[in-house]
Amino acid sequence: MKKDIETREELEEFLRAFYKKAFADELIGHFFTKVVPLDLKTHIPVIASFWESVVFNTHGYRKNVMEVHKHIHHLSKIKKEHLDRWVKIFTETLDEEFEGYHTELMKQRARSIATLMDIKLNHEGIAKA
Ligand code: HEM
């Protein structure tokens, strides 16, 4: 039976599975391998702190996620199709191993942050005009 994400170790386990697929994906893999080559050994603890703050209300993550992705967007455009794929892989990877309240919360947050990212990166110019 599947269980919910309850610990930092489970978060990291999920994130390793997620990035393995994201790196290999033909639509978004290049962001992680070419645009900003990621060293997962250092990246997973940072991103786990972000998700820990979302799921368990901890305060270990202090950076502005939108600013990080604005920077990536300037190097190589993050379009809606990329964000949709990111959310699809994230959701499918979670569903493979986990279920429950925290799992649903993570899927919801991933979707809403990705929607906000699309607005900030691809539509803000229009909104301001
Ligand atoms: C197509 C969509 C996305 C791409 C291509 C992408 C790519 C990346 C890359 C390349 C980094 C590393 C940046 C660096 O070290 O300089 C990063 C960091 C990060 N991403 Fe994304 N990302 C995407 C969507 C998202 C979404 C939707 C979320 C949250 C729900 C998210 C959360 C994070 C976090 C928390 C970090 C760590 C930032 C830090 O270093 O503090 N990403 N992303």
Side-chain angles (χ1 to χ4, degrees), residues 18-19 28 31-32 35-38 43 46-48 50-51 61 63-65 68-69 71-72 78-87 90 106 109-115 117:
F18 167 68
Y19 281 106
I28 64 169
F31 285 104
F32 307 103
V35 181
V36 183
L38 275 192
H43 185 68
V46 174
I47 219 149
F50 169 80
W51 283 107
Y61 185 83
K63 272 162 77 178
N64 183 327
V65 174
V68 172
H69 293 81
H71 172 71
I72 302 165
I78 300 179
K79 297 180 186 161
K80 183 167 188 302
E81 59 176 347
H82 298 130
L83 288 159
D84 286 346
R85 178 66 64 91
W86 189 102
V87 171
F90 190 90
M106 285 178 68
R109 285 300 164 85
R111 270 197 303 273
S112 57
I113 296 168
T115 302
M117 240 178 230

mmCIF file of all heavy atoms in Angstrom, residues 18-19 28 31-32 35-38 43 46-48 50-51 61 63-65 68-69 71-72 78-87 90 106 109-115 117, ligand 1:
data_model
loop_
_atom_site.group_PDB
_atom_site.id
_atom_site.type_symbol
_atom_site.label_atom_id
_atom_site.label_comp_id
_atom_site.label_asym_id
_atom_site.label_seq_id
_atom_site.Cartn_x
_atom_site.Cartn_y
_atom_site.Cartn_z
ATOM 1 N N PHE A 18 12.177 12.248 -9.014
ATOM 2 C CA PHE A 18 11.646 13.306 -9.889
ATOM 3 C C PHE A 18 12.738 13.843 -10.822
ATOM 4 O O PHE A 18 12.545 13.922 -12.039
ATOM 5 C CB PHE A 18 11.042 14.437 -9.047
ATOM 6 C CG PHE A 18 10.756 15.686 -9.843
ATOM 7 C CD1 PHE A 18 9.756 15.698 -10.807
ATOM 8 C CD2 PHE A 18 11.500 16.847 -9.646
ATOM 9 C CE1 PHE A 18 9.491 16.842 -11.556
ATOM 10 C CE2 PHE A 18 11.254 17.994 -10.388
ATOM 11 C CZ PHE A 18 10.233 17.990 -11.344
ATOM 12 N N TYR A 19 13.887 14.215 -10.253
ATOM 13 C CA TYR A 19 14.941 14.812 -11.092
ATOM 14 C C TYR A 19 15.542 13.806 -12.062
ATOM 15 O O TYR A 19 15.970 14.199 -13.148
ATOM 16 C CB TYR A 19 16.006 15.504 -10.234
ATOM 17 C CG TYR A 19 15.509 16.853 -9.779
ATOM 18 C CD1 TYR A 19 15.110 17.074 -8.472
ATOM 19 C CD2 TYR A 19 15.386 17.900 -10.686
ATOM 20 C CE1 TYR A 19 14.608 18.308 -8.070
ATOM 21 C CE2 TYR A 19 14.885 19.127 -10.296
ATOM 22 C CZ TYR A 19 14.497 19.327 -8.983
ATOM 23 O OH TYR A 19 13.991 20.539 -8.610
ATOM 24 N N ILE A 28 12.172 19.188 -21.242
ATOM 25 C CA ILE A 28 12.724 20.087 -20.207
ATOM 26 C C ILE A 28 14.105 19.664 -19.692
ATOM 27 O O ILE A 28 14.726 20.408 -18.937
ATOM 28 C CB ILE A 28 11.746 20.260 -19.004
ATOM 29 C CG1 ILE A 28 11.516 18.943 -18.262
ATOM 30 C CG2 ILE A 28 10.442 20.886 -19.446
ATOM 31 C CD1 ILE A 28 10.771 19.137 -16.924
ATOM 32 N N PHE A 31 17.221 22.131 -19.520
ATOM 33 C CA PHE A 31 17.349 23.188 -18.496
ATOM 34 C C PHE A 31 18.313 22.733 -17.389
ATOM 35 O O PHE A 31 19.090 23.522 -16.880
ATOM 36 C CB PHE A 31 15.992 23.496 -17.862
ATOM 37 C CG PHE A 31 15.076 24.305 -18.741
ATOM 38 C CD1 PHE A 31 14.006 23.706 -19.393
ATOM 39 C CD2 PHE A 31 15.285 25.665 -18.920
ATOM 40 C CE1 PHE A 31 13.155 24.444 -20.204
ATOM 41 C CE2 PHE A 31 14.444 26.430 -19.727
ATOM 42 C CZ PHE A 31 13.371 25.807 -20.367
ATOM 43 N N PHE A 32 18.210 21.454 -17.042
ATOM 44 C CA PHE A 32 18.992 20.932 -15.913
ATOM 45 C C PHE A 32 20.378 20.434 -16.322
ATOM 46 O O PHE A 32 21.279 20.355 -15.501
ATOM 47 C CB PHE A 32 18.221 19.782 -15.238
ATOM 48 C CG PHE A 32 16.813 20.166 -14.865
ATOM 49 C CD1 PHE A 32 15.732 19.743 -15.632
ATOM 50 C CD2 PHE A 32 16.573 20.987 -13.773
ATOM 51 C CE1 PHE A 32 14.437 20.119 -15.313
ATOM 52 C CE2 PHE A 32 15.284 21.362 -13.443
ATOM 53 C CZ PHE A 32 14.208 20.931 -14.211
ATOM 54 N N VAL A 35 21.348 24.398 -19.530
ATOM 55 C CA VAL A 35 21.129 25.829 -19.216
ATOM 56 C C VAL A 35 21.734 26.157 -17.850
ATOM 57 O O VAL A 35 22.519 27.096 -17.726
ATOM 58 C CB VAL A 35 19.614 26.176 -19.257
ATOM 59 C CG1 VAL A 35 19.406 27.654 -18.948
ATOM 60 C CG2 VAL A 35 19.012 25.831 -20.621
ATOM 61 N N VAL A 36 21.338 25.392 -16.824
ATOM 62 C CA VAL A 36 21.950 25.531 -15.489
ATOM 63 C C VAL A 36 22.324 24.118 -15.034
ATOM 64 O O VAL A 36 21.542 23.466 -14.345
ATOM 65 C CB VAL A 36 20.970 26.151 -14.461
ATOM 66 C CG1 VAL A 36 21.660 26.349 -13.118
ATOM 67 C CG2 VAL A 36 20.403 27.474 -14.953
ATOM 68 N N PRO A 37 23.490 23.631 -15.454
ATOM 69 C CA PRO A 37 23.850 22.241 -15.081
ATOM 70 C C PRO A 37 23.774 22.051 -13.566
ATOM 71 O O PRO A 37 24.410 22.789 -12.807
ATOM 72 C CB PRO A 37 25.282 22.108 -15.587
ATOM 73 C CG PRO A 37 25.412 23.146 -16.651
ATOM 74 C CD PRO A 37 24.539 24.299 -16.208
ATOM 75 N N LEU A 38 22.940 21.099 -13.170
ATOM 76 C CA LEU A 38 22.671 20.930 -11.739
ATOM 77 C C LEU A 38 23.469 19.785 -11.148
ATOM 78 O O LEU A 38 23.490 18.682 -11.698
ATOM 79 C CB LEU A 38 21.190 20.619 -11.530
ATOM 80 C CG LEU A 38 20.217 21.772 -11.436
ATOM 81 C CD1 LEU A 38 18.881 21.263 -10.935
ATOM 82 C CD2 LEU A 38 20.742 22.845 -10.518
ATOM 83 N N HIS A 43 21.919 20.263 -4.933
ATOM 84 C CA HIS A 43 20.601 20.821 -5.244
ATOM 85 C C HIS A 43 19.476 20.166 -4.436
ATOM 86 O O HIS A 43 18.561 20.855 -3.986
ATOM 87 C CB HIS A 43 20.329 20.656 -6.739
ATOM 88 C CG HIS A 43 19.060 21.296 -7.193
ATOM 89 N ND1 HIS A 43 18.878 22.668 -7.202
ATOM 90 C CD2 HIS A 43 17.899 20.762 -7.641
ATOM 91 C CE1 HIS A 43 17.670 22.927 -7.642
ATOM 92 N NE2 HIS A 43 17.053 21.793 -7.914
ATOM 93 N N VAL A 46 18.698 21.640 -0.999
ATOM 94 C CA VAL A 46 18.085 22.972 -1.094
ATOM 95 C C VAL A 46 16.600 22.835 -1.437
ATOM 96 O O VAL A 46 15.730 23.428 -0.781
ATOM 97 C CB VAL A 46 18.794 23.828 -2.187
ATOM 98 C CG1 VAL A 46 18.076 25.153 -2.388
ATOM 99 C CG2 VAL A 46 20.253 24.053 -1.836
ATOM 100 N N ILE A 47 16.331 22.035 -2.443
ATOM 101 C CA ILE A 47 14.949 21.903 -2.900
ATOM 102 C C ILE A 47 14.110 21.130 -1.866
ATOM 103 O O ILE A 47 12.922 21.406 -1.696
ATOM 104 C CB ILE A 47 14.922 21.285 -4.310
ATOM 105 C CG1 ILE A 47 13.837 21.964 -5.122
ATOM 106 C CG2 ILE A 47 14.720 19.831 -4.326
ATOM 107 C CD1 ILE A 47 14.124 22.049 -6.548
ATOM 108 N N ALA A 48 14.757 20.214 -1.132
ATOM 109 C CA ALA A 48 14.042 19.503 -0.060
ATOM 110 C C ALA A 48 13.653 20.488 1.045
ATOM 111 O O ALA A 48 12.559 20.392 1.611
ATOM 112 C CB ALA A 48 14.903 18.373 0.505
ATOM 113 N N PHE A 50 12.941 23.609 0.570
ATOM 114 C CA PHE A 50 11.799 24.346 0.026
ATOM 115 C C PHE A 50 10.507 23.554 0.255
ATOM 116 O O PHE A 50 9.530 24.083 0.799
ATOM 117 C CB PHE A 50 12.017 24.604 -1.475
ATOM 118 C CG PHE A 50 10.787 25.110 -2.180
ATOM 119 C CD1 PHE A 50 10.424 26.443 -2.090
ATOM 120 C CD2 PHE A 50 9.983 24.254 -2.919
ATOM 121 C CE1 PHE A 50 9.278 26.913 -2.727
ATOM 122 C CE2 PHE A 50 8.841 24.712 -3.567
ATOM 123 C CZ PHE A 50 8.482 26.043 -3.465
ATOM 124 N N TRP A 51 10.519 22.263 -0.122
ATOM 125 C CA TRP A 51 9.289 21.471 0.009
ATOM 126 C C TRP A 51 8.940 21.181 1.466
ATOM 127 O O TRP A 51 7.769 21.078 1.834
ATOM 128 C CB TRP A 51 9.394 20.177 -0.817
ATOM 129 C CG TRP A 51 9.184 20.501 -2.269
ATOM 130 C CD1 TRP A 51 10.131 20.527 -3.247
ATOM 131 C CD2 TRP A 51 7.958 20.923 -2.903
ATOM 132 N NE1 TRP A 51 9.577 20.927 -4.437
ATOM 133 C CE2 TRP A 51 8.246 21.164 -4.259
ATOM 134 C CE3 TRP A 51 6.652 21.112 -2.456
ATOM 135 C CZ2 TRP A 51 7.261 21.602 -5.162
ATOM 136 C CZ3 TRP A 51 5.679 21.534 -3.359
ATOM 137 C CH2 TRP A 51 5.990 21.771 -4.691
ATOM 138 N N TYR A 61 13.852 27.370 4.250
ATOM 139 C CA TYR A 61 14.093 27.885 2.896
ATOM 140 C C TYR A 61 13.744 29.362 2.852
ATOM 141 O O TYR A 61 12.625 29.750 3.157
ATOM 142 C CB TYR A 61 13.252 27.128 1.866
ATOM 143 C CG TYR A 61 13.583 27.555 0.457
ATOM 144 C CD1 TYR A 61 14.665 27.011 -0.221
ATOM 145 C CD2 TYR A 61 12.840 28.545 -0.193
ATOM 146 C CE1 TYR A 61 14.997 27.427 -1.502
ATOM 147 C CE2 TYR A 61 13.165 28.964 -1.472
ATOM 148 C CZ TYR A 61 14.250 28.398 -2.114
ATOM 149 O OH TYR A 61 14.586 28.821 -3.375
ATOM 150 N N LYS A 63 14.958 31.635 0.125
ATOM 151 C CA LYS A 63 15.135 32.363 -1.137
ATOM 152 C C LYS A 63 13.813 32.573 -1.872
ATOM 153 O O LYS A 63 12.799 31.997 -1.528
ATOM 154 C CB LYS A 63 16.122 31.603 -2.032
ATOM 155 C CG LYS A 63 17.568 32.018 -1.737
ATOM 156 C CD LYS A 63 18.557 31.029 -2.244
ATOM 157 C CE LYS A 63 18.780 31.112 -3.741
ATOM 158 N NZ LYS A 63 19.798 30.134 -4.172
ATOM 159 N N ASN A 64 13.878 33.466 -2.876
ATOM 160 C CA ASN A 64 12.682 33.742 -3.664
ATOM 161 C C ASN A 64 12.698 32.877 -4.936
ATOM 162 O O ASN A 64 13.487 33.110 -5.846
ATOM 163 C CB ASN A 64 12.671 35.236 -4.009
ATOM 164 C CG ASN A 64 11.420 35.621 -4.772
ATOM 165 O OD1 ASN A 64 10.885 34.834 -5.552
ATOM 166 N ND2 ASN A 64 10.962 36.830 -4.539
ATOM 167 N N VAL A 65 11.819 31.875 -4.937
ATOM 168 C CA VAL A 65 11.811 30.895 -6.028
ATOM 169 C C VAL A 65 11.531 31.566 -7.378
ATOM 170 O O VAL A 65 12.089 31.189 -8.405
ATOM 171 C CB VAL A 65 10.760 29.802 -5.737
ATOM 172 C CG1 VAL A 65 10.613 28.864 -6.909
ATOM 173 C CG2 VAL A 65 11.166 29.010 -4.524
ATOM 174 N N VAL A 68 14.735 33.089 -8.825
ATOM 175 C CA VAL A 68 15.627 32.038 -9.347
ATOM 176 C C VAL A 68 15.184 31.661 -10.763
ATOM 177 O O VAL A 68 15.996 31.560 -11.688
ATOM 178 C CB VAL A 68 15.604 30.781 -8.434
ATOM 179 C CG1 VAL A 68 16.374 29.630 -9.066
ATOM 180 C CG2 VAL A 68 16.169 31.107 -7.050
ATOM 181 N N HIS A 69 13.880 31.489 -10.965
ATOM 182 C CA HIS A 69 13.387 31.050 -12.270
ATOM 183 C C HIS A 69 13.347 32.177 -13.293
ATOM 184 O O HIS A 69 13.433 31.927 -14.486
ATOM 185 C CB HIS A 69 12.044 30.328 -12.106
ATOM 186 C CG HIS A 69 12.215 29.049 -11.365
ATOM 187 N ND1 HIS A 69 12.311 29.006 -9.989
ATOM 188 C CD2 HIS A 69 12.403 27.768 -11.791
ATOM 189 C CE1 HIS A 69 12.511 27.760 -9.610
ATOM 190 N NE2 HIS A 69 12.576 26.992 -10.669
ATOM 191 N N HIS A 71 15.744 34.274 -13.539
ATOM 192 C CA HIS A 71 17.123 34.216 -14.021
ATOM 193 C C HIS A 71 17.269 33.109 -15.086
ATOM 194 O O HIS A 71 17.839 33.342 -16.156
ATOM 195 C CB HIS A 71 18.068 33.988 -12.834
ATOM 196 C CG HIS A 71 19.480 33.722 -13.236
ATOM 197 N ND1 HIS A 71 20.295 34.702 -13.770
ATOM 198 C CD2 HIS A 71 20.215 32.587 -13.222
ATOM 199 C CE1 HIS A 71 21.474 34.170 -14.064
ATOM 200 N NE2 HIS A 71 21.459 32.896 -13.733
ATOM 201 N N ILE A 72 16.727 31.918 -14.794
ATOM 202 C CA ILE A 72 16.802 30.810 -15.762
ATOM 203 C C ILE A 72 16.075 31.208 -17.059
ATOM 204 O O ILE A 72 16.575 30.989 -18.161
ATOM 205 C CB ILE A 72 16.168 29.522 -15.172
ATOM 206 C CG1 ILE A 72 16.872 29.116 -13.872
ATOM 207 C CG2 ILE A 72 16.211 28.376 -16.181
ATOM 208 C CD1 ILE A 72 16.108 28.107 -13.037
ATOM 209 N N ILE A 78 11.398 29.794 -20.230
ATOM 210 C CA ILE A 78 10.565 28.745 -19.622
ATOM 211 C C ILE A 78 9.133 29.020 -20.069
ATOM 212 O O ILE A 78 8.494 29.960 -19.593
ATOM 213 C CB ILE A 78 10.660 28.752 -18.076
ATOM 214 C CG1 ILE A 78 12.105 28.525 -17.606
ATOM 215 C CG2 ILE A 78 9.740 27.683 -17.485
ATOM 216 C CD1 ILE A 78 12.279 28.538 -16.078
ATOM 217 N N LYS A 79 8.651 28.233 -21.044
ATOM 218 C CA LYS A 79 7.307 28.454 -21.592
ATOM 219 C C LYS A 79 6.277 27.609 -20.846
ATOM 220 O O LYS A 79 6.636 26.705 -20.084
ATOM 221 C CB LYS A 79 7.291 28.071 -23.074
ATOM 222 C CG LYS A 79 8.217 28.924 -23.917
ATOM 223 C CD LYS A 79 8.153 28.476 -25.369
ATOM 224 C CE LYS A 79 9.181 29.237 -26.185
ATOM 225 N NZ LYS A 79 9.471 28.538 -27.452
ATOM 226 N N LYS A 80 4.993 27.888 -21.154
ATOM 227 C CA LYS A 80 3.916 27.154 -20.472
ATOM 228 C C LYS A 80 4.050 25.647 -20.708
ATOM 229 O O LYS A 80 3.841 24.850 -19.796
ATOM 230 C CB LYS A 80 2.556 27.653 -20.935
ATOM 231 C CG LYS A 80 1.417 26.972 -20.192
ATOM 232 C CD LYS A 80 0.098 27.626 -20.388
ATOM 233 C CE LYS A 80 -0.947 27.021 -19.471
ATOM 234 N NZ LYS A 80 -1.117 25.566 -19.666
ATOM 235 N N GLU A 81 4.424 25.268 -21.920
ATOM 236 C CA GLU A 81 4.543 23.822 -22.206
ATOM 237 C C GLU A 81 5.619 23.167 -21.329
ATOM 238 O O GLU A 81 5.502 22.006 -20.941
ATOM 239 C CB GLU A 81 4.831 23.575 -23.692
ATOM 240 C CG GLU A 81 6.098 24.240 -24.170
ATOM 241 C CD GLU A 81 6.442 23.914 -25.636
ATOM 242 O OE1 GLU A 81 5.845 22.983 -26.198
ATOM 243 O OE2 GLU A 81 7.321 24.594 -26.187
ATOM 244 N N HIS A 82 6.677 23.924 -21.000
ATOM 245 C CA HIS A 82 7.721 23.396 -20.119
ATOM 246 C C HIS A 82 7.165 23.218 -18.699
ATOM 247 O O HIS A 82 7.392 22.197 -18.046
ATOM 248 C CB HIS A 82 8.927 24.342 -20.070
ATOM 249 C CG HIS A 82 9.599 24.522 -21.402
ATOM 250 N ND1 HIS A 82 9.901 25.752 -21.923
ATOM 251 C CD2 HIS A 82 10.021 23.613 -22.301
ATOM 252 C CE1 HIS A 82 10.487 25.590 -23.105
ATOM 253 N NE2 HIS A 82 10.559 24.304 -23.354
ATOM 254 N N LEU A 83 6.437 24.252 -18.251
ATOM 255 C CA LEU A 83 5.870 24.180 -16.894
ATOM 256 C C LEU A 83 4.851 23.051 -16.783
ATOM 257 O O LEU A 83 4.819 22.328 -15.784
ATOM 258 C CB LEU A 83 5.229 25.529 -16.533
ATOM 259 C CG LEU A 83 6.264 26.628 -16.268
ATOM 260 C CD1 LEU A 83 5.655 28.008 -16.435
ATOM 261 C CD2 LEU A 83 6.865 26.486 -14.869
ATOM 262 N N ASP A 84 4.044 22.876 -17.836
ATOM 263 C CA ASP A 84 3.055 21.783 -17.826
ATOM 264 C C ASP A 84 3.755 20.431 -17.728
ATOM 265 O O ASP A 84 3.310 19.537 -17.002
ATOM 266 C CB ASP A 84 2.191 21.821 -19.103
ATOM 267 C CG ASP A 84 1.190 22.960 -19.080
ATOM 268 O OD1 ASP A 84 0.966 23.546 -18.007
ATOM 269 O OD2 ASP A 84 0.633 23.285 -20.155
ATOM 270 N N ARG A 85 4.859 20.286 -18.465
ATOM 271 C CA ARG A 85 5.593 19.010 -18.428
ATOM 272 C C ARG A 85 6.205 18.791 -17.040
ATOM 273 O O ARG A 85 6.172 17.695 -16.491
ATOM 274 C CB ARG A 85 6.674 19.007 -19.512
ATOM 275 C CG ARG A 85 7.538 17.759 -19.559
ATOM 276 C CD ARG A 85 6.752 16.507 -19.952
ATOM 277 N NE ARG A 85 6.217 16.598 -21.303
ATOM 278 C CZ ARG A 85 6.846 16.184 -22.397
ATOM 279 N NH1 ARG A 85 8.011 15.612 -22.303
ATOM 280 N NH2 ARG A 85 6.291 16.336 -23.592
ATOM 281 N N TRP A 86 6.777 19.886 -16.469
ATOM 282 C CA TRP A 86 7.375 19.811 -15.135
ATOM 283 C C TRP A 86 6.319 19.294 -14.133
ATOM 284 O O TRP A 86 6.571 18.357 -13.362
ATOM 285 C CB TRP A 86 7.887 21.200 -14.740
ATOM 286 C CG TRP A 86 8.729 21.289 -13.492
ATOM 287 C CD1 TRP A 86 10.087 21.410 -13.438
ATOM 288 C CD2 TRP A 86 8.272 21.307 -12.125
ATOM 289 N NE1 TRP A 86 10.497 21.491 -12.128
ATOM 290 C CE2 TRP A 86 9.421 21.422 -11.309
ATOM 291 C CE3 TRP A 86 7.021 21.229 -11.528
ATOM 292 C CZ2 TRP A 86 9.337 21.475 -9.916
ATOM 293 C CZ3 TRP A 86 6.942 21.268 -10.128
ATOM 294 C CH2 TRP A 86 8.089 21.385 -9.352
ATOM 295 N N VAL A 87 5.129 19.873 -14.178
ATOM 296 C CA VAL A 87 4.051 19.503 -13.246
ATOM 297 C C VAL A 87 3.614 18.049 -13.502
ATOM 298 O O VAL A 87 3.360 17.291 -12.559
ATOM 299 C CB VAL A 87 2.839 20.466 -13.369
ATOM 300 C CG1 VAL A 87 1.644 19.946 -12.577
ATOM 301 C CG2 VAL A 87 3.223 21.861 -12.903
ATOM 302 N N PHE A 90 6.246 15.743 -12.068
ATOM 303 C CA PHE A 90 6.194 15.873 -10.607
ATOM 304 C C PHE A 90 5.012 15.052 -10.051
ATOM 305 O O PHE A 90 5.169 14.245 -9.127
ATOM 306 C CB PHE A 90 6.026 17.360 -10.262
ATOM 307 C CG PHE A 90 6.198 17.708 -8.815
ATOM 308 C CD1 PHE A 90 7.448 18.054 -8.306
ATOM 309 C CD2 PHE A 90 5.104 17.736 -7.955
ATOM 310 C CE1 PHE A 90 7.603 18.404 -6.970
ATOM 311 C CE2 PHE A 90 5.255 18.076 -6.618
ATOM 312 C CZ PHE A 90 6.507 18.410 -6.120
ATOM 313 N N MET A 106 1.357 18.766 -1.923
ATOM 314 C CA MET A 106 2.506 19.026 -2.809
ATOM 315 C C MET A 106 2.061 19.160 -4.263
ATOM 316 O O MET A 106 2.548 20.031 -4.989
ATOM 317 C CB MET A 106 3.553 17.915 -2.672
ATOM 318 C CG MET A 106 4.352 18.028 -1.385
ATOM 319 S SD MET A 106 5.546 16.699 -1.205
ATOM 320 C CE MET A 106 6.719 17.070 -2.506
ATOM 321 N N ARG A 109 0.335 22.549 -4.619
ATOM 322 C CA ARG A 109 1.296 23.669 -4.589
ATOM 323 C C ARG A 109 2.117 23.724 -5.860
ATOM 324 O O ARG A 109 2.395 24.795 -6.375
ATOM 325 C CB ARG A 109 2.230 23.541 -3.392
ATOM 326 C CG ARG A 109 1.611 23.903 -2.091
ATOM 327 C CD ARG A 109 1.133 25.354 -2.080
ATOM 328 N NE ARG A 109 0.216 25.547 -0.978
ATOM 329 C CZ ARG A 109 0.608 25.821 0.254
ATOM 330 N NH1 ARG A 109 1.864 26.004 0.515
ATOM 331 N NH2 ARG A 109 -0.284 25.940 1.217
ATOM 332 N N ALA A 110 2.533 22.558 -6.353
ATOM 333 C CA ALA A 110 3.329 22.525 -7.585
ATOM 334 C C ALA A 110 2.527 23.168 -8.718
ATOM 335 O O ALA A 110 3.047 23.997 -9.464
ATOM 336 C CB ALA A 110 3.703 21.084 -7.927
ATOM 337 N N ARG A 111 1.237 22.786 -8.816
ATOM 338 C CA ARG A 111 0.379 23.350 -9.872
ATOM 339 C C ARG A 111 0.219 24.855 -9.707
ATOM 340 O O ARG A 111 0.337 25.605 -10.667
ATOM 341 C CB ARG A 111 -1.011 22.708 -9.831
ATOM 342 C CG ARG A 111 -1.137 21.466 -10.699
ATOM 343 C CD ARG A 111 -2.600 21.110 -10.946
ATOM 344 N NE ARG A 111 -3.335 20.899 -9.704
ATOM 345 C CZ ARG A 111 -3.392 19.724 -9.075
ATOM 346 N NH1 ARG A 111 -2.768 18.672 -9.565
ATOM 347 N NH2 ARG A 111 -4.075 19.592 -7.966
ATOM 348 N N SER A 112 -0.041 25.319 -8.484
ATOM 349 C CA SER A 112 -0.303 26.751 -8.330
ATOM 350 C C SER A 112 0.973 27.576 -8.504
ATOM 351 O O SER A 112 0.935 28.647 -9.098
ATOM 352 C CB SER A 112 -1.048 27.068 -7.035
ATOM 353 O OG SER A 112 -0.337 26.606 -5.947
ATOM 354 N N ILE A 113 2.120 27.057 -8.045
ATOM 355 C CA ILE A 113 3.373 27.799 -8.238
ATOM 356 C C ILE A 113 3.728 27.834 -9.726
ATOM 357 O O ILE A 113 4.169 28.867 -10.245
ATOM 358 C CB ILE A 113 4.519 27.200 -7.393
ATOM 359 C CG1 ILE A 113 4.217 27.343 -5.897
ATOM 360 C CG2 ILE A 113 5.855 27.898 -7.711
ATOM 361 C CD1 ILE A 113 5.124 26.548 -4.969
ATOM 362 N N ALA A 114 3.500 26.728 -10.433
ATOM 363 C CA ALA A 114 3.788 26.700 -11.879
ATOM 364 C C ALA A 114 2.884 27.687 -12.624
ATOM 365 O O ALA A 114 3.332 28.376 -13.546
ATOM 366 C CB ALA A 114 3.601 25.276 -12.420
ATOM 367 N N THR A 115 1.620 27.789 -12.218
ATOM 368 C CA THR A 115 0.699 28.750 -12.852
ATOM 369 C C THR A 115 1.183 30.178 -12.611
ATOM 370 O O THR A 115 1.233 31.000 -13.531
ATOM 371 C CB THR A 115 -0.729 28.586 -12.266
ATOM 372 O OG1 THR A 115 -1.141 27.241 -12.478
ATOM 373 C CG2 THR A 115 -1.711 29.530 -12.923
ATOM 374 N N MET A 117 4.217 31.058 -11.944
ATOM 375 C CA MET A 117 5.474 31.232 -12.690
ATOM 376 C C MET A 117 5.185 31.614 -14.137
ATOM 377 O O MET A 117 5.814 32.508 -14.695
ATOM 378 C CB MET A 117 6.262 29.917 -12.673
ATOM 379 C CG MET A 117 7.621 30.042 -12.038
ATOM 380 S SD MET A 117 8.423 28.424 -12.023
ATOM 381 C CE MET A 117 8.913 28.346 -10.327
HETATM 382 C C1 HEM B 1 9.822 24.103 -16.529
HETATM 383 C C2 HEM B 1 9.817 24.327 -15.225
HETATM 384 C C3 HEM B 1 11.052 24.462 -14.384
HETATM 385 C C4 HEM B 1 12.376 24.431 -14.734
HETATM 386 C C5 HEM B 1 12.980 24.238 -16.120
HETATM 387 C C6 HEM B 1 13.148 24.616 -13.523
HETATM 388 C C7 HEM B 1 14.515 24.639 -13.462
HETATM 389 C C8 HEM B 1 15.263 24.889 -12.342
HETATM 390 C C9 HEM B 1 16.690 25.007 -12.308
HETATM 391 C C10 HEM B 1 17.625 24.865 -13.535
HETATM 392 C C11 HEM B 1 17.051 25.289 -11.043
HETATM 393 C C12 HEM B 1 18.472 25.533 -10.501
HETATM 394 C C13 HEM B 1 18.749 27.002 -10.403
HETATM 395 C C14 HEM B 1 20.139 27.316 -9.909
HETATM 396 O O1 HEM B 1 20.724 26.532 -9.157
HETATM 397 O O2 HEM B 1 20.630 28.383 -10.258
HETATM 398 C C15 HEM B 1 15.836 25.327 -10.259
HETATM 399 C C16 HEM B 1 15.785 25.570 -8.910
HETATM 400 C C17 HEM B 1 14.646 25.461 -8.148
HETATM 401 N N1 HEM B 1 13.369 25.181 -8.606
HETATM 402 FE FE1 HEM B 1 12.829 24.992 -10.526
HETATM 403 N N2 HEM B 1 12.291 24.748 -12.453
HETATM 404 C C18 HEM B 1 11.002 24.656 -12.933
HETATM 405 C C19 HEM B 1 9.838 24.725 -12.206
HETATM 406 C C20 HEM B 1 9.786 24.791 -10.844
HETATM 407 C C21 HEM B 1 8.573 24.809 -10.064
HETATM 408 C C22 HEM B 1 7.150 24.787 -10.647
HETATM 409 C C23 HEM B 1 8.957 24.860 -8.746
HETATM 410 C C24 HEM B 1 8.111 24.884 -7.492
HETATM 411 C C25 HEM B 1 6.909 24.399 -7.422
HETATM 412 C C26 HEM B 1 10.399 24.898 -8.710
HETATM 413 C C27 HEM B 1 11.170 24.948 -7.570
HETATM 414 C C28 HEM B 1 12.535 25.164 -7.528
HETATM 415 C C29 HEM B 1 13.290 25.427 -6.315
HETATM 416 C C30 HEM B 1 12.749 25.479 -4.896
HETATM 417 C C31 HEM B 1 14.623 25.601 -6.707
HETATM 418 C C32 HEM B 1 15.818 25.876 -5.789
HETATM 419 C C33 HEM B 1 16.150 27.336 -5.904
HETATM 420 C C34 HEM B 1 17.326 27.706 -5.021
HETATM 421 O O3 HEM B 1 18.475 27.444 -5.404
HETATM 422 O O4 HEM B 1 17.070 28.247 -3.939
HETATM 423 N N3 HEM B 1 10.877 24.836 -9.995
HETATM 424 N N4 HEM B 1 14.757 25.097 -11.075
#
